[in-house]
Amino acid sequence: MSRVRIHNFGISLDGFGTGEDQTLEAPFGHAGGRLMSWFMATSTFQAMQGATGGTTGFDDALAASWGPDIAVEIMGRNKFGPQRGPWTDDEWRGWWGDEPPFHTPVIVLTHHARPPIEMAGGTTFHFLDASPEEALTAARELADGGDVRIGGGVATARQFLAAGLVDLAHLAVVPIVLGRGERLWDGLEGLEERYTFETIVAPSGVTHLLLQRRP
Amino acid sequence: MSRVRIHNFGISLDGFGTGEDQTLEAPFGHAGGRLMSWFMATSTFQAMQGATGGTTGFDDALAASWGPDIAVEIMGRNKFGPQRGPWTDDEWRGWWGDEPPFHTPVIVLTHHARPPIEMAGGTTFHFLDASPEEALTAARELADGGDVRIGGGVATARQFLAAGLVDLAHLAVVPIVLGRGERLWDGLEGLEERYTFETIVAPSGVTHLLLQRRP
């Protein structure tokens, strides 16, 4: 059974999944790397970069659940890049470098369709103007029975959670008070009625939440 | 050394310390008892009510840190009662019954001063129109070397944290998404620079945070 999953989604104690003032140089705005530094430190992430080393504790064990069985990713346009409105620079091919870490088809949600971009390493970006439900249908066709990851950003994760389309969500609460940015929980009042919540704390101080949709 | 402490302060995953629509019957508004049910279930709380029974696990062990060495409490007016503006009903003596669970002097912050009210069991309500700093000075005079508890509500806790007046804060994050109400974290951006954060999860699913002011 193909599942829809969110993994390694960092939020601050006050629930922000990204800071203010996103730019080309600062994808998370004033949050900088703070929401993802626990993940970047893991050997799972280091291996994704072709590097060795990194932490091998609880954070890493959880980080490793990111990849297996994922056949397609859906992401919001902001996770592809900071451009807004019609595409003006077709040469720039996203934040993820020549060989993005996805290695699967990626559906980028945007109101401005454009031809797919095939990258090295198996990642192809498809640009789709679609509702969450429509995007998921398209993703499942590409996934061929595999799982679909909702990759973010915040608005995209929130929309899929609000629509009840997510089966499993792994959130990582970082003990900082970010103060401003985009809140994951907005509009999700009563989510506990539709999802079970499990919680553990890693020695790093990161609190890992696992949400699973109630049967 | 007299310390300023917050204990058993329940917030939702999305950071709300109380819900919307506070009334005489619903001190936490639409949150109902959900932010404090873990605390109400403890044998510590049951004993405060003169009852026996209750949970005796980790939640209880932490709940028990509420009382010792506390010589004075400071609370916002909303924790005393739901009235706003000038006092119109002097007969009504707060939400806490004839023998409130404080058993110490309690400073109630209000713009509308009124004479103190002495209750059974050692609680006396003092009504003070004062800044956090002024209230703390008054509390320390009453405390005679004992500790001062900031009892809430949300705005009061936030103001004392923002002013850097709190030495230790024990927060209990309940795994619900409340959606609306009053947020504890608002205006506290970067609090982690001034406080250390420790986290544990109780088997109840409640995440306990302990904030301690950095030296």
Side-chain angles (χ1 to χ4, degrees):
Chain A
M1 176 59 194
S2 161
R3 295 185 303 164
V4 179
R5 297 154 46 187
I6 293 173
H7 282 286
N8 299 319
F9 197 97
I11 58 175
S12 62
L13 261 182
D14 46 347
F16 293 100
T18 186
E20 266 183 1
D21 306 324
Q22 185 191 48
T23 65
L24 187 58
E25 294 73 31
F28 288 87
H30 85 287
R34 290 180 288 166
L35 296 175
M36 295 309 285
S37 55
W38 66 273
F39 179 63
M40 309 281 190
T42 63
S43 69
T44 294
F45 178 80
Q46 293 301 319
M48 284 163 57
Q49 308 296 304
T52 54
T55 67
T56 53
F58 280 111
D59 283 337
D60 183 55
L62 292 163
S65 57
W66 190 84
D69 305 320
I70 296 288
V72 177
E73 166 147 342
I74 297 173
M75 62 172 63
R77 181 173 177 178
N78 293 2
K79 186 172 171 182
F80 176 76
Q83 296 178 331
R84 300 291 182 271
W87 301 97
T88 55
D89 180 1
D90 278 353
E91 291 306 301
W92 194 74
R93 302 176 355 140
W95 260 315
W96 300 97
D98 291 333
E99 189 174 337
F102 308 108
H103 310 296
T104 68
V106 173
I107 292 176
V108 180
L109 296 171
T110 167
H111 295 305
H112 303 275
R114 60 186 280 191
I117 306 178
E118 199 173 334
M119 310 291 286
T123 298
T124 303
F125 292 111
H126 300 266
F127 299 87
L128 220 64
D129 184 3
S131 70
E133 289 81 359
E134 292 164 349
L136 187 53
T137 299
R140 285 204 154 120
E141 277 167 25
L142 290 167
D144 193 24
D147 286 357
V148 177
R149 181 172 52 231
I150 309 302
V154 183
T156 302
R158 194 169 55 212
Q159 282 161 19
F160 277 82
L161 283 166
L165 298 174
V166 175
D167 295 297
L168 177 151
H170 163 217
L171 313 176
V173 184
V174 177
I176 62 173
V177 181
L178 202 51
R180 54 212 158 88
E182 215 172 331
R183 287 193 168 96
L184 177 64
W185 301 117
D186 275 4
L188 298 180
E189 177 179 340
L191 193 66
E192 68 280 2
E193 292 163 19
R194 297 186 282 131
Y195 286 83
T196 59
F197 287 68
E198 290 183 358
T199 314
I200 65 166
V201 184
S204 65
V206 171
T207 301
H208 295 272
L209 292 173
L210 198 64
L211 282 61
Q212 293 181 83
R213 191 163 49 187
R214 296 183 187 274
Chain B
M1 176 58 194
S2 161
R3 293 186 304 162
V4 178
R5 296 155 45 187
I6 292 173
H7 283 286
N8 298 320
F9 195 97
I11 59 175
S12 62
L13 261 183
D14 47 345
F16 292 101
T18 186
E20 265 182 3
D21 306 324
Q22 185 190 48
T23 65
L24 186 58
E25 293 75 30
F28 287 87
H30 84 289
R34 291 179 289 167
L35 295 175
M36 296 309 285
S37 55
W38 67 274
F39 178 64
M40 309 280 191
T42 62
S43 70
T44 294
F45 179 79
Q46 293 301 320
M48 283 163 58
Q49 308 295 306
T52 54
T55 67
T56 54
F58 280 110
D59 282 338
D60 183 55
L62 291 162
S65 57
W66 190 85
D69 305 321
I70 296 288
V72 178
E73 167 148 338
I74 298 173
M75 64 171 63
R77 180 173 177 178
N78 293 1
K79 186 172 169 181
F80 176 76
Q83 297 179 329
R84 302 290 182 271
W87 302 97
T88 54
D89 180 2
D90 278 354
E91 292 306 301
W92 194 74
R93 300 175 356 139
W95 260 316
W96 300 97
D98 290 333
E99 188 173 337
F102 308 106
H103 310 294
T104 68
V106 173
I107 292 176
V108 179
L109 296 172
T110 168
H111 295 305
H112 303 275
R114 62 187 276 191
I117 307 178
E118 199 172 334
M119 311 291 287
T123 298
T124 303
F125 291 111
H126 301 264
F127 299 87
L128 221 64
D129 184 3
S131 70
E133 289 80 359
E134 292 165 349
L136 186 54
T137 300
R140 286 205 152 117
E141 277 167 25
L142 291 166
D144 193 25
D147 286 356
V148 177
R149 182 172 50 232
I150 309 302
V154 183
T156 302
R158 195 169 54 213
Q159 282 161 19
F160 278 82
L161 282 167
L165 298 174
V166 175
D167 294 297
L168 178 151
H170 163 217
L171 313 177
V173 183
V174 177
I176 62 173
V177 181
L178 203 51
R180 53 212 160 88
E182 213 171 333
R183 288 193 167 94
L184 176 64
W185 301 117
D186 274 5
L188 298 180
E189 178 178 340
L191 193 66
E192 69 278 5
E193 293 164 17
R194 297 186 281 132
Y195 286 82
T196 59
F197 286 68
E198 288 182 1
T199 314
I200 65 167
V201 184
S204 65
V206 171
T207 302
H208 295 271
L209 292 173
L210 198 64
L211 282 60
Q212 294 183 80
R213 191 161 50 188
R214 296 183 187 273

